[in-house]
């Protein structure tokens, strides 16, 4: 298998390493027998579930099913429903291959969201709202994977998790298709509009909405920061491991592509499913079975820029100061690249002093760049995996996050963290070829119960999880994460998050070789 084939297999699957962690847990006896609770929306009343200290409302449609003529169309308003709609279990995930969602999904009726609200929240005492966009390489994932009850109850906030169209169904581009390359981002905006209009009935403050996400979800936040159509839809932003300055030639982190590139990929997809020479290509594509589209689509997906929804590449827009003026909390994990490096090694691509130059050249094909990287990151007899992970983490996450921080901070308040628990619980089964430290997505179990399953955290890690939730939710409440019982977080420092060592540092850049990557270009 070629190195690029391995990358294609692993790139979007890294957030789908949540497969074991995020698979929905069976309902508990308490959940099955919990009391019902009803809230009225403009489309009709919904019946949720009352738990101990919080309520959940799952599978609420925020847009019409994107089926038939609405496949590859901007989201339309959901139709009102007669009677009371049950909102006691998640709706289908958006179409995707098997992975994070066991067995995958082929159900296009997926534009739903889930709400977790603490007891006591109501129209008379509204709470801050945090809207969560899941990761998964714009190809996998579901809002229902993220059980937010710890965040809602400890932080006293309303949490909304969102499904949005993925893969070719979310990001297909074609010359005759309005909205090309950005349907998934348009879905996110539709969900935000729904939140502004409806969340007050669930006890949320529609005037205080934080948009948050991780990996592709974090990059989605970057895109919404720079999308004119998202103006006034949110008031703060949290970006986890999805730096806004991602670029296609650094392929492990999410990025956007020009519309011309997306259209070329769309033409390839049409040809693969037998529609390339059809008289009406779009009509033909809308008749293709979902499973066939999933089999034909590229594993890696990106939104398209130079489009009405995303006029510029977010990296260029933020560098030029063209983004919505909202406070931002942004960060990355200390060992972002280790999961990818481990997966590539386990796919029979060892990293040794002898193979290292070829491995680097596979991902950095410019001869001058590859040689410089090999010099800056030498591999010795036993450290190939961690060195490869450091290259991926520095090039794709840590240093782009530092650059994004600097660009945003010139205009808005920015708070930057680095998650650094070297003993973070693994998100996958099996034994990796080397210790992974704090890899991509490893902070998520500290904020959510993935798939409804509490993670096996030590007492110190539970304290760290509580502290992180405190920081995140105070930021959502006031745009300042600081509180009386946590170490002070200055905007001029990077907060290092590790058990029993939560401390602001002047900068995390030196250990990440950012000066080297900035000079490399």
């Amino acid at each position: 298998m070629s190195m690029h084939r391995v990358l294609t297999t692993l790139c979007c699957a890294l957030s789908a390493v949540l497969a074991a962690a995020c698979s929905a847990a069976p309902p508990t006896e308490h959940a099955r027998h919990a009391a019902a609770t009803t809230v009225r929306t403009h489309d009709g009343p919904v019946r949720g579930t009352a738990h101990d200290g919080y309520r959940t409302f799952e599978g609420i449609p925020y847009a019409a099913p994107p089926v038939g003529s609405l496949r590859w169309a901007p989201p339309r308003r959901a139709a009102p429903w007669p009677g009371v709609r049950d909102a006691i279990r998640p709706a289908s995930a958006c179409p995707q291959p098997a992975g994070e969602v066991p067995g995958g999904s082929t159900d296009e009726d997926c534009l739903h969201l889930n709400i977790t609200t603490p007891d006591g929240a109501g129209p008379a005492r509204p709470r801050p709202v945090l809207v969560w966009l899941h990761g998964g390489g714009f190809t996998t994932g579901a809002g229902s994977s993220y059980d937010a009850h710890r965040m809602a109850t400890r932080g006293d906030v309303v949490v909304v998790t969102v499904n949005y169209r993925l893969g070719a169904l979310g990001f297909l581009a074609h010359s005759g298709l309005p909205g090309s390359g950005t349907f998934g981002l348009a879905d996110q905006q539709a969900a935000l509009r729904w939140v502004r209009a409806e969340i007050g009935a669930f006890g949320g403050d529609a005037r205080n909405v934080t948009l948050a996400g991780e990996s592709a979800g974090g990059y989605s936040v970057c895109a919404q920061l720079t999308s004119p159509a998202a103006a006034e839809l949110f008031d703060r932003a949290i970006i986890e491991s999805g730096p806004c300055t991602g670029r296609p030639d650094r392929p492990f982190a999410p990025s956007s592509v020009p519309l011309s590139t997306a259209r070329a990929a769309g033409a390839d997809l049409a040809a693969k499913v037998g529609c390339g020479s059809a008289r009406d290509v779009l009509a033909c594509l809308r008749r293709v079975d979902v499973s066939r589209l999933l089999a034909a689509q590229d594993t890696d997906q990106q939104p398209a820029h130079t489009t009405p929804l995303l006029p510029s590449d977010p990296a260029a827009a933020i560098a030029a100061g063209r983004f919505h003026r909202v406070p931002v909390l942004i960060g990355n994990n200390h060992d972002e690249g280790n999961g990818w490096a481990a997966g590539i090694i386990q796919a029979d691509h060892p990293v040794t002093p002898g193979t290292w130059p070829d491995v680097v050249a596979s991902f950095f094909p410019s001869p001058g760049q590859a040689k410089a990287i090999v010099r800056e990151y030498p591999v010795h007899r036993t450290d190939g995996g961690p060195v490869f992970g450091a290259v991926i983490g520095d090039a794709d996450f840590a240093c782009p996050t530092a650059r994004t921080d600097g660009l945003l901070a010139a205009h808005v308040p920015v708070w930057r963290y680095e998650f650094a628990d070297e003993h973070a619980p693994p998100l996958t089964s099996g034994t990796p070829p080397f210790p992974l430290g704090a890899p991509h997505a490893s902070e998520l179990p500290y904020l959510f119960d993935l798939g409804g399953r509490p993670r096996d955290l030590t007492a110190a890690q539970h304290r760290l999880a509580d502290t992180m939730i405190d920081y995140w939710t105070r930021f959502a409440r006031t745009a300042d994460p600081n509180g009386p019982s946590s170490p002070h977080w200055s905007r001029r420092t990077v907060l290092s998050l590790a058990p029993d060592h939560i401390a602001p540092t002047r900068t995390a850049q030196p250990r990440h070789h950012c000066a080297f990557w900035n000079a490399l270009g």
Side-chain angles (χ1 to χ4, degrees):
M1 184 183 289
S2 72
M3 187 68 73
H4 280 290
R5 178 67 175 168
V6 172
L7 174 61
T8 300
T9 302
L10 292 175
C11 227
C12 76
L14 211 289
S15 276
V17 294
L18 303 174
C22 284
S23 299
T28 63
E29 287 298 315
H30 172 73
R32 280 198 290 265
H33 298 297
T37 180
T38 301
V39 169
R40 180 171 295 279
T41 75
H42 288 95
D43 294 322
V46 294
R47 180 187 296 114
T49 305
H51 305 266
D52 184 13
Y54 64 100
R55 297 174 295 152
T56 56
F57 302 84
E58 300 177 280
I60 302 175
Y62 66 83
V67 299
S69 64
L70 295 186
R71 181 188 277 185
W72 298 306
R76 307 282 178 86
R77 180 173 175 176
W81 49 84
V84 179
R85 181 187 180 101
D86 273 338
I88 59 175
R89 61 182 57 85
S92 295
C94 285
Q96 59 191 278
E100 178 179 326
V101 175
S105 172
T106 57
D107 189 352
E108 292 181 86
D109 183 4
C110 66
L111 299 185
H112 300 85
L113 51 76
N114 314 289
I115 301 170
T116 305
T117 183
D119 283 353
R125 294 186 61 211
R127 303 303 202 267
V129 180
L130 188 144
V131 177
W132 179 257
L133 304 177
H134 66 79
F138 294 111
T139 308
T140 65
S144 57
S145 294
Y146 299 83
D147 179 334
H149 80 273
R150 285 191 291 118
M151 183 178 289
T153 55
R154 182 175 180 87
D156 200 28
V157 298
V158 173
V159 183
V160 181
T161 65
V162 178
N163 287 356
Y164 55 94
R165 280 175 283 182
L166 302 167
L169 289 164
F171 299 97
L172 178 82
H174 186 274
S175 59
L177 191 60
S180 273
T182 58
F183 298 109
L185 298 181
D187 295 342
Q188 296 167 7
Q189 293 180 0
L192 287 166
R193 286 191 289 271
W194 189 97
V195 167
R196 286 289 204 205
E198 305 286 358
I199 204 65
F202 297 85
D205 184 352
R207 298 169 297 177
N208 186 1
V209 175
T210 296
L211 184 61
E214 182 268 344
S215 194
Y219 190 78
S220 294
V221 178
C222 297
Q224 303 301 354
L225 277 171
T226 64
S227 172
E232 309 300 326
L233 291 183
F234 57 99
D235 307 285
R236 326 202 195 293
I238 297 176
I239 302 167
E240 299 178 29
S241 301
C244 302
T245 52
R247 40 195 263 194
D249 65 342
R250 304 279 169 83
F252 294 93
S255 64
S256 65
V257 296
L259 180 58
S260 57
T261 301
R263 284 179 173 172
D268 288 344
L269 178 76
K272 287 179 183 178
V273 298
C275 293
S277 58
R279 178 173 297 179
D280 187 334
V281 172
L282 292 175
C284 179
L285 283 169
R286 287 186 171 120
R287 292 192 296 268
V288 175
D289 185 76
V290 170
S291 59
R292 192 176 176 196
L293 289 172
L294 293 178
Q297 72 182 16
D298 288 338
T299 305
D300 195 23
Q301 298 285 324
Q302 298 93 17
H305 62 78
T306 55
T307 59
L309 188 144
L310 204 59
S312 300
D313 181 354
I318 286 174
R322 298 192 304 270
F323 60 89
H324 307 309
R325 299 299 196 254
V326 301
V328 177
L329 188 156
I330 187 171
N332 59 276
N333 298 348
H334 183 262
D335 305 295
E336 292 275 4
N338 279 359
W340 280 289
I344 290 172
I345 290 170
Q346 288 175 317
D348 200 25
H349 290 273
V351 178
T352 67
T355 64
W356 182 225
D358 290 338
V359 171
V360 173
S362 295
F363 299 106
F364 301 90
S366 169
Q369 281 195 346
K371 291 179 181 178
I373 293 166
V374 170
R375 286 194 302 270
E376 183 74 11
Y377 294 82
V379 165
H380 305 100
R381 187 171 61 87
T382 61
D383 64 357
V387 172
F388 187 19
V391 168
I392 296 169
D394 291 358
D396 291 69
F397 293 96
C399 300
T401 297
R403 173 167 168 74
T404 301
D405 175 5
L407 294 171
L408 294 171
H411 304 276
V412 298
V414 179
W415 309 87
R416 183 168 151 224
Y417 73 88
E418 182 176 75
F419 179 78
D421 183 1
E422 62 179 337
H423 301 295
L427 294 175
T428 53
S429 58
T431 302
F434 61 91
L436 298 185
H440 192 65
S442 58
E443 88 285 5
L444 293 175
Y446 294 71
L447 300 171
F448 302 96
D449 287 355
L450 300 178
R453 293 185 173 92
R455 297 301 293 169
D456 185 17
L457 302 178
T458 66
Q461 288 171 329
H462 275 294
R463 289 192 295 272
L464 174 60
D466 288 346
T467 300
M468 289 173 63
I469 288 172
D470 291 345
Y471 280 132
W472 266 235
T473 55
R474 281 194 298 258
F475 175 80
R477 178 169 287 103
T478 67
D480 185 339
N482 287 297
S485 60
S486 302
H488 185 75
W489 186 353
S490 166
R491 297 208 304 261
R492 294 182 299 276
T493 61
V494 180
L495 188 73
S496 179
L497 295 165
D500 295 325
H501 183 71
I502 301 169
T505 60
R506 182 57 55 185
T507 177
Q509 291 186 43
R511 59 185 171 186
H512 288 302
H513 297 245
C514 290
F516 167 79
W517 290 103
N518 291 339
L520 193 66

